[in-house]
Amino acid sequence: MTNALSKLLETRDWILADGATGTNLFNMGLQSGDAPEFWNDIHPDRITKLYQDAVDAGSDLFLTNSFGGNASRLKLHDGQNRVHELNKKAAEIGRDVADKSDRDIIVAGSVGPTGDIFEPMGTMTHATAVEMFHEQAEGLKDGGADVLWVETISAPEEFKAAAEAFKRADMPWCGTMSFDTAGRTMMGVTAADLAKLVGKFENAPLAFGANCGVGASDLLRTILGFSETEPTLPLISKGNAGIPKYHDGHIHYDGTPELMADYACLARDSGATIIGGCCGTQPAHLKAMREALETRDKGGKPSLETISTALGGFSSESDGTDGKGPAARKTRRRSRSS
């Protein structure tokens, strides 16, 4: 399989990724508590629209509808025996959309966390996690994904397991963690910790970075933290479209297309190469981001004051590097990239 993302990285200063999966599927009728991955089978037309909307809005890369497609997550919906099938379908739909485009489009196979805590705090073992991620990876590979993309990870153990599984599948990969707890992941990982971790992998990712988290300002503070480590790999920035707010019985993100356009350019200036959105990011946001990246000149590295002035204040004073951030938690978490 040709490494399509590497080729694109060699010729582009920035690459626009896609936006939210959950937010856009909820707008199409997905109900809270449902498994989005089942829609790859029962509503392939809606998944086609999800991907096509991102491409039409200007994305060069989109993630497949397979975030919760591992056995542990699908078991919650009695779908643990459908891992390969559902992941393969997610990638096949994406492959069809990408191949019909007149631009080079990357199909990235989304791989989310297992939702389980690793030993000794929990019951998940390294071997079991590798097996789960490998099963998912093979489905995405057979469906035609160009690259695997592990995202919204909190624990280094899970990141390591995914990397090993992707090596077994002989697939290139990218990876992001969610720094949502005062500059750290829920399990206490800092930006510097992740940069050091990926530097130790025998099968290094094509790019690494951050997604989701709290808001765009916090995420860019993390990107600046990566930049300070002088990474040799391209950085990924996929921030939420503002802050979630409860209104009329629904969760809405308050980030406007104009705010996300500013975010995209600040992400580029902060050192990110692959730039996209996460929760709340819709096609209108992506269009504004694309236009801004194409028309605005690259600037110097922004200060924290510049970021907060443009995008809003930070959720915490600490960026996770001053020792004031929280220690690793022992709670169980089952998040979904939305």
Side-chain angles (χ1 to χ4, degrees):
M1 181 177 293
T2 58
N3 194 330
L5 180 55
S6 288
K7 293 181 179 179
L8 205 58
L9 286 167
E10 290 173 358
T11 59
R12 295 281 299 277
D13 294 328
W14 54 266
I15 293 170
L16 183 65
D18 62 354
T21 296
T23 299
N24 291 301
L25 291 184
F26 285 134
N27 289 340
M28 295 182 196
L30 182 71
Q31 298 298 305
S32 179
D34 289 349
E37 294 75 23
F38 286 0
W39 274 26
N40 299 331
D41 179 36
I42 60 178
H43 293 303
D45 56 324
R46 300 183 193 182
I47 304 307
T48 297
K49 177 174 170 53
L50 173 74
Y51 300 159
Q52 191 65 59
D53 283 351
V55 173
D56 291 345
S59 294
D60 303 298
L61 175 154
F62 63 79
L63 274 60
T64 58
N65 180 41
S66 52
F67 178 81
N70 61 67
S72 181
R73 295 289 293 268
L74 288 176
K75 186 176 182 180
L76 299 173
H77 308 277
D78 197 28
Q80 64 270 27
N81 295 322
R82 302 183 65 190
V83 173
H84 187 277
E85 169 206 348
L86 293 173
N87 282 275
K88 184 172 183 285
K89 286 177 182 278
E92 285 176 338
I93 297 169
R95 185 75 270 150
D96 186 59
V97 170
D99 289 347
K100 289 179 179 178
S101 176
D102 58 3
R103 298 185 289 119
D104 290 331
I105 304 295
I106 304 300
V107 179
S110 174
V111 176
T114 64
D116 295 309
I117 302 297
F118 278 66
E119 294 180 330
M121 293 186 292
T123 58
M124 176 62 69
T125 67
H126 175 78
T128 300
V130 171
E131 182 180 348
M132 284 187 182
F133 286 137
H134 183 228
E135 181 182 24
Q136 188 175 6
E138 290 292 348
L140 292 166
K141 179 180 180 179
D142 289 348
D146 294 300
V147 61
L148 301 177
W149 190 290
V150 63
E151 56 173 330
T152 326
I153 300 299
S154 294
E157 295 85 0
E158 197 153 41
F159 215 79
K160 293 176 183 177
E164 183 174 328
F166 300 161
K167 182 179 180 181
R168 289 188 185 181
D170 193 26
M171 284 285 288
W173 66 286
C174 295
T176 59
M177 285 188 167
S178 180
F179 298 83
D180 55 6
T181 314
R184 295 171 180 255
T185 72
M186 184 185 70
M187 302 307 289
V189 179
T190 67
D193 292 336
L194 178 55
K196 292 177 183 177
L197 180 65
V198 298
K200 297 177 181 178
F201 288 141
E202 181 181 345
N203 61 320
L206 300 181
F208 75 96
N211 79 292
C212 204
V214 181
S217 295
D218 283 44
L219 190 132
L220 291 188
R221 184 167 63 178
T222 298
I223 298 300
L224 288 175
F226 290 137
S227 297
E228 290 174 0
T229 67
E230 298 183 356
T232 58
L233 299 173
L235 297 178
I236 300 166
S237 176
K238 287 197 97 214
N240 294 342
I243 304 297
K245 296 182 178 180
Y246 191 77
H247 181 68
D248 290 339
H250 300 280
I251 296 295
H252 299 272
Y253 284 79
D254 64 5
T256 63
E258 291 76 18
L259 180 140
M260 291 303 284
D262 291 340
Y263 148 78
C265 292
L266 287 169
R268 177 186 61 186
D269 296 345
S270 297
T273 300
I274 301 177
I275 302 164
C278 202
C279 302
T281 308
Q282 300 181 53
H285 297 99
L286 294 172
K287 289 180 181 179
M289 292 163 67
R290 179 88 193 194
E291 181 179 1
L293 288 168
E294 287 181 335
T295 59
R296 300 185 196 178
D297 293 334
K298 189 177 188 304
K301 186 171 294 186
S303 65
L304 294 179
E305 182 179 0
T306 298
I307 291 173
S308 62
T309 298
L311 306 179
F314 301 101
S315 66
S316 64
E317 293 185 5
S318 173
D319 65 353
T321 62
D322 55 10
K324 297 179 181 178
R329 297 180 182 177
K330 297 184 180 181
T331 54
R332 183 180 180 87
R333 183 188 189 191
R334 288 186 178 275
S335 63
R336 170 173 288 131
S337 177
S338 56

